[in-house]
Amino acid sequence: MISFYLNGKSCEITHLNPNTTVLEYLRLHERQTDTKEGCGSGDCGACTIMAQRLPESSSEAVKPSPFFTLNSCITLLSLMDGHHLMTAAYLADNPDNHPDRATLHPAQQAMVDCHGSQCGFCTPGFVMSLASTYENHRLQAEASGSTDELSYDEVVASIAGNLCRCTGYRPIVEAGLTMGQIGQQRDAAQEIAKDLTIDLATDAMKTSHTPAATATNALEPVLTQNARQLFMPQSLEDFHQVLAANPSATIWAGGTDLGLSVTQHLVDHDAIIQLSAIDELKSWTLTDPDDTHAKNNSLNKSLVLGAGMTYKTMLPVLEQYFPEFAALFERIASPQIRNMGTIGGNIANASPIGDLPPVLLALDAQVHLRHCDVANHTTDNQASYTDEVLPLSEFFLDYKKTKLRAGSYVVAVHIPLMQANQHLYIYKISKRYEDDISACLLAAKVDVAADNMTIENARLGLGGMAAIPLLAEKTQQALIGQPVAVDSFLTAAQMLPMDVSPMTDVRASREYRMHVVQRLLVKCGKQLVVDVEPVSA
């Protein structure tokens, strides 16, 4: 079974279509209609809910996990195993003996006071995004003793994944800036705020929330309905067993793009292997060049990111080792998507407009694949497998086609660390600054000579230009050996049509894409000239 809390109530489920999304469960099974369905594709934020991971047992004494938001329309319910799900209706403190005197959550009260709602359809989603930010800020303040209030930038960032069609955003942002004051006023009046965190030790149900797939046999599904099955392996060994036995199953990590197959294309996956419980895929490390899985890298150390790491968990790591890459994250999707989407899913999905692959191509990243031995698998033994580490540039074959095959998955991504003479530039073009898909993306890594006067090497990753993310090989070759000067990039830009014939779609025409990327390459040259100064003889 899967087990979780919904608005303070314990839920345990054994029989349910594995393709059921959180939104579908809320509205159709629980009649929890305060969560709205807007776009059904994770774009508008109307379906936003808030969640918090539960401790694994009632005796576990740990500080509360942070709250996070997600798009319930594209999130499988099984991903919420071991979590507390909260909707807008739960936030208000409405005692049974005073049903007419509900105390709204500061985020809700602020939306009322600042007139942040008009038609009201998007309001629950905005409330959840603001409430999550408020609660996390409160937890941090309690831990550090800080009295700082939320900044304008923090409030704006928190609602980046929510769209409003009526009021405009000024009163909503004002509500975000005001909710802290409301909370402080209640604290001063000694009004006890509702604690949204579930305390398993005092919960009347005293339900154990050990991870769902505790069946003795890893091959047993945790959810079934008719012929459809959901597997939730708890370790890599279990995963190999399940995958070898079900090689055609859909592998589901965050599912922020795969979820569209359910909501937009109405696909009912017969078998799903859900990876959220496998901690081995969520870690990162630095690897020496002589490591088995890094031997094809350069002499540099590599950052190894587990395929199950989400954008949110990757961000502090990239800020430390690749700050230019980290800066792109505020342009990638929304907080709700970044809380769930994974690097492995973004690569394996092989979308030509994915934001990560062009940057990883420019950084000369390698992808670590694992191929389970499907042909010789038996249920009596652990599944055998072979590992393959190859340049990411060899991974993408054609539109939505990769080196993955039945029984294969992405284990990790290896990224050589930047050296002092290397410079990284990333440019994303989209119709909206936030929460939008790329029309085109250019990532350029340029190596300069010791005297800062010559380009020693260049790698140019392109996204949104063709059926796959790719390297502009002829263009980057035209830069090698050339002076660090804008003219070098102007000349190289003329080679771009030899590398790619851009596509035309609803986001941009081929002519626009070509012109923009050529100009972005020149912009890269201008920035490089500013960033490096020739060394005097």
Side-chain angles (χ1 to χ4, degrees), residues 357-432:
V359 184
L360 295 172
L361 286 169
L363 290 171
D364 199 14
Q366 295 180 307
V367 59
H368 176 186
L369 308 181
R370 183 161 292 164
H371 310 289
C372 291
D373 187 356
V374 175
N376 299 313
H377 171 68
T378 67
T379 57
D380 298 329
N381 300 307
Q382 288 292 336
S384 59
Y385 57 83
T386 57
D387 284 321
E388 180 183 11
V389 178
L390 69 157
L392 186 63
S393 56
E394 298 177 11
F395 176 73
F396 302 106
L397 303 177
D398 202 345
Y399 179 71
K400 293 285 187 176
K401 293 182 180 180
T402 69
K403 285 291 185 71
L404 291 173
R405 55 180 185 263
S408 300
Y409 69 98
V410 177
V411 180
V413 179
H414 299 245
I415 315 173
L417 296 186
M418 297 278 288
Q419 301 301 296
N421 70 320
Q422 296 176 330
H423 303 267
L424 180 64
Y425 304 99
I426 304 169
Y427 310 105
K428 174 177 176 176
I429 301 299
S430 57
K431 292 185 177 180
R432 298 197 309 269

Side-chain angles (χ1 to χ4, degrees), residues 44-67:
C44 73
C47 70
T48 299
I49 65 167
M50 185 166 71
Q52 185 183 37
R53 178 175 291 279
L54 296 167
E56 292 190 358
S57 69
S58 58
S59 61
E60 186 177 345
V62 294
K63 65 179 182 179
S65 298
F67 295 85

